[in-house]
Amino acid sequence: MKATLKNNKSTQNQAVYDVIISGAGPVGLFLACELALAKCSVLILEKAEDPRSLLKQFPFGIRGLFAPTIESLYRRGLLDELEIHKHLKNPHSGAVQGANRQAGHFAGIPFHDGNIDTSKWTYRLASATEPSLISEMQEIETVLARRAAALGVEIRRGLAITGFHQTADGVTVQSAHQSFQSKWLAGCDGSRSIVRKTGGFEFAGTEPEFTGYTTRIDIADPEKLNPGRNVTPTGMYMQSQPGYVVIQEFDGGAFHTSEKQVTLEHIQEVLRRVSNTDVTITTLHTATTWTDRARQATTYRNGRVILAGDAAHIHAPLGGQGLNLGLGDAMNLGWKLAATIQEKAPEGLLDSYYTERHPIGLQVLDWSRAQVAIMQPSPAARALHAIFRDLMNTRDGATYMAARMWGIFTHYNLGGDHPLTGHSVPNFEFEDGVKIGELMHDGKAILLDFDSNDDLQTLANEYGDQIRYISANVKDRLTVSALLIRPDGIIAWASSNNISDYEELRKAAARWFVL
């Protein structure tokens, strides 16, 4: 799978990878899995020697996974490997029953399961996947690293990228005193991405309003702090369980950007100020800071260097959108970059990664900014907060919030007349009980035909192993007769009458695949 450079003495006999990925977090690992699934050679360089971290484990590391992410993991046969959500009482998974069950929140304002009208989600069939569930960063990374290794991905830990040089043909990557060769470099190395900074990407956006603290502490008088989320005149504090406290102080992000050391004395001072108590901290076990700085790369690609995840966009971790956004980047990018490497990509295929994902990222950044706006300790923000609370307590309000937060309506503007085009494929169930998501483990495109049309099969055959043709009856076809499903599960073409739309199908296939 690896080529060998022979053009000069310094690089003679050195392996050339198809892609080097900077960062072995969930985004880098998932991208590696997608590339390796398409038979690309991949090397991941990760600066941390030990993938384990307290901040990745329960409760700090708990993350909400939402519909697009859950569907992606399901379609690659990875969802069943996640165990935590099966044992914890997840406020989004249905483990806790009742109409008043909290389903999520916006700026700390809860919306409830009983108010969500799922009948408005017309094309979301009863599925093998929930619209949301909880996992843990450590668990996600473990599952993805195991799959990456099984697919032949090489992961080298304790090697941070220190620089790189690209030419028209490839990229030379430096890590300390070592160098590596690849055709492409993917920066999945987080908010302080070396790849983004070295690659000269513009990172535009807005400055922070607050400093956030995630802490594990021992408290002499914990009864002075209320459990749960508490909004105060100076910020917010949340005690998920004794000793685990999250704090937001609206200091314009001053402490975080100062890069000062977080001390017990400082945390106690901030907690007292925000909680308006004289609470006493006896031990500081661990703490990290974060802000609501919202920035996004103005392009996701510079030559043979490409960004994904927090390297491409950052925002406040309110509502757990960041991980899902990054994993969505990886799912969208993987098959397109692989096709480009293997010279199976039509013109503009790789450019569509940016045109599709940048608007989704911008929506998430604005979602974060909107939450911060109504969390401000000001009369105007409190007035907005009250109005949002009323709206979210209605059926339409809760349904809208759930759909936005869980990514139910996430779609790409791919043109076409059918309302399903650009959306995630519904999990159609065949008469034998198998669902379409179970047939997508190999990462191939699918032409799904419910009417056994010979013309559709002929077209699929023209594309060889790029498009898999499936003809079968399903229990609920949703008035659809045929669909072309991209490798990432997005519908590229759909029809309720596949004979009359045959030429549109041909155009759609040519847009995403090459003969």
Side-chain angles (χ1 to χ4, degrees):
M1 292 174 66
K2 304 183 186 76
T4 302
L5 281 179
K6 298 182 179 179
N7 58 345
N8 62 62
K9 186 175 181 180
S10 65
T11 57
Q12 189 172 3
N13 297 323
Q14 185 174 8
V16 180
Y17 297 87
D18 288 324
V19 184
I20 291 177
I21 296 174
S22 176
V27 177
L29 289 166
F30 195 35
L31 177 58
C33 289
E34 287 297 289
L35 290 165
L37 189 63
K39 309 303 181 184
C40 294
S41 58
V42 183
L43 168 66
I44 300 179
L45 299 177
E46 165 57 47
K47 66 179 180 180
E49 294 185 4
D50 189 346
R52 296 169 298 179
S53 167
L54 179 64
L55 296 175
K56 296 179 182 179
Q57 300 168 13
F58 181 87
F60 291 139
I62 286 295
R63 294 292 185 272
L65 300 182
F66 303 137
T69 297
I70 297 167
E71 290 168 349
S72 294
L73 296 172
Y74 168 64
R75 290 166 182 161
R76 295 299 185 257
L78 292 165
L79 188 60
D80 285 343
E81 296 187 34
L82 298 178
E83 296 290 336
I84 287 177
H85 71 96
K86 300 174 185 178
H87 306 294
L88 294 178
K89 287 192 173 183
N90 177 7
H92 309 317
S93 71
V96 181
Q97 302 297 323
N100 290 323
R101 178 174 60 87
Q102 181 175 328
H105 74 87
F106 179 82
I109 307 170
F111 57 90
H112 296 92
D113 185 70
N115 275 337
I116 299 172
D117 183 4
T118 58
S119 69
K120 292 184 178 293
W121 304 341
T122 309
Y123 291 109
R124 183 174 172 82
L125 290 171
S127 174
T129 66
E130 296 284 350
S132 69
L133 56 82
I134 56 175
S135 186
E136 175 196 71
M137 286 287 285
Q138 193 77 70
E139 178 185 52
I140 295 166
E141 288 187 7
T142 299
V143 167
L144 292 175
R146 185 166 59 235
R147 176 59 59 89
L151 290 169
V153 173
E154 186 177 348
I155 304 174
R156 298 197 186 187
R157 301 186 184 275
L159 288 177
I161 288 182
T162 54
F164 62 85
H165 171 73
Q166 67 168 310
T167 66
D169 300 318
V171 186
T172 301
V173 176
Q174 287 83 40
S175 177
H177 301 297
Q178 301 184 59
S179 67
F180 304 90
Q181 302 291 327
S182 68
K183 298 174 183 176
W184 290 82
L185 171 62
C188 303
D189 47 349
S191 61
R192 299 181 179 181
S193 170
I194 294 297
V195 173
R196 184 188 68 238
K197 294 175 181 178
T198 306
F201 290 85
E202 182 182 359
F203 206 40
T206 52
E207 292 304 306
E209 301 288 340
F210 64 75
T211 295
Y213 302 83
T214 300
T215 70
R216 181 189 169 202
I217 53 182
D218 291 340
I219 305 174
D221 41 10
E223 70 280 357
K224 293 181 178 179
L225 298 179
N226 295 323
R229 183 184 298 269
N230 300 270
V231 177
T232 74
T234 54
M236 183 279 298
Y237 74 92
M238 180 176 69
Q239 187 172 212
S240 58
Q241 55 182 290
Y244 292 89
V245 179
V246 175
I247 315 167
Q248 286 173 239
E249 182 178 35
F250 282 86
D251 64 346
F255 185 82
H256 178 81
T257 55
S258 73
E259 298 187 356
K260 293 180 180 178
Q261 184 177 358
V262 181
T263 63
L264 183 153
E265 291 76 18
H266 177 73
I267 293 294
Q268 178 168 278
E269 178 184 345
V270 172
L271 183 55
R272 284 180 172 181
R273 190 161 52 238
V274 170
S275 67
N276 195 29
T277 69
D278 60 353
V279 64
T280 298
I281 299 174
T282 57
T283 307
L284 173 62
H285 295 283
T286 188
T288 186
T289 65
W290 42 277
T291 74
D292 58 309
R293 186 167 65 122
R295 291 188 175 274
Q296 187 175 27
T298 55
T299 180
Y300 287 2
R301 176 188 169 192
N302 180 1
R304 289 179 172 268
V305 181
I306 202 158
L307 304 177
D310 286 353
H313 38 69
I314 60 170
H315 56 90
L318 301 172
Q321 298 290 309
L323 173 63
N324 292 273
L325 181 59
L327 292 174
D329 290 346
M331 189 68 164
N332 186 284
L333 174 60
W335 69 279
K336 296 175 180 178
L337 183 54
T340 301
I341 291 167
Q342 296 164 354
E343 299 183 347
K344 296 179 180 179
E347 184 177 356
L349 178 65
L350 191 56
D351 292 337
S352 71
Y353 165 61
Y354 170 79
T355 58
E356 290 178 2
R357 293 304 297 173
H358 190 273
I360 303 296
L362 185 58
Q363 289 176 7
V364 172
L365 263 65
D366 282 346
W367 177 264
S368 173
R369 291 182 180 116
Q371 292 185 78
V372 175
I374 67 172
M375 296 174 77
Q376 292 274 3
S378 70
R382 285 195 292 272
L384 284 171
H385 193 279
I387 292 172
F388 268 82
R389 182 177 293 277
D390 288 345
L391 288 173
M392 289 168 60
N393 201 32
T394 67
R395 194 159 180 78
D396 284 346
T399 302
Y400 170 81
M401 285 295 177
R404 277 292 303 268
M405 174 171 284
W406 296 344
I408 300 298
F409 295 148
T410 298
H411 72 284
Y412 305 129
N413 183 13
L414 304 184
D417 296 329
H418 199 282
L420 263 178
T421 303
H423 286 264
S424 178
V425 63
N427 201 25
F428 292 105
E429 184 176 356
F430 299 100
E431 291 182 335
D432 62 0
V434 174
K435 295 186 177 182
I436 187 63
E438 299 167 28
L439 303 179
M440 301 177 70
H441 292 183
D442 61 0
K444 300 290 186 180
I446 293 175
L447 181 53
L448 184 58
D449 180 7
F450 300 146
D451 292 329
S452 300
N453 187 304
D454 291 340
D455 287 338
L456 300 191
Q457 184 170 10
T458 298
L459 183 145
N461 291 340
E462 291 175 4
Y463 284 87
D465 66 353
Q466 294 179 83
I467 300 178
R468 180 183 179 188
Y469 176 78
I470 298 176
S471 177
N473 293 322
V474 293
K475 295 179 179 179
D476 183 357
R477 61 164 62 187
L478 297 174
T479 73
V480 177
S481 60
L483 309 98
L484 177 61
I485 309 165
R486 300 190 325 190
D488 56 356
I490 298 299
I491 297 171
W493 168 88
S495 176
S496 298
N497 184 340
N498 57 23
I499 296 177
S500 65
D501 291 343
Y502 178 75
E503 288 306 316
E504 291 301 314
L505 168 60
R506 184 168 288 280
K507 291 178 183 178
R511 179 179 179 182
W512 303 108
F513 311 101
V514 292
L515 291 170

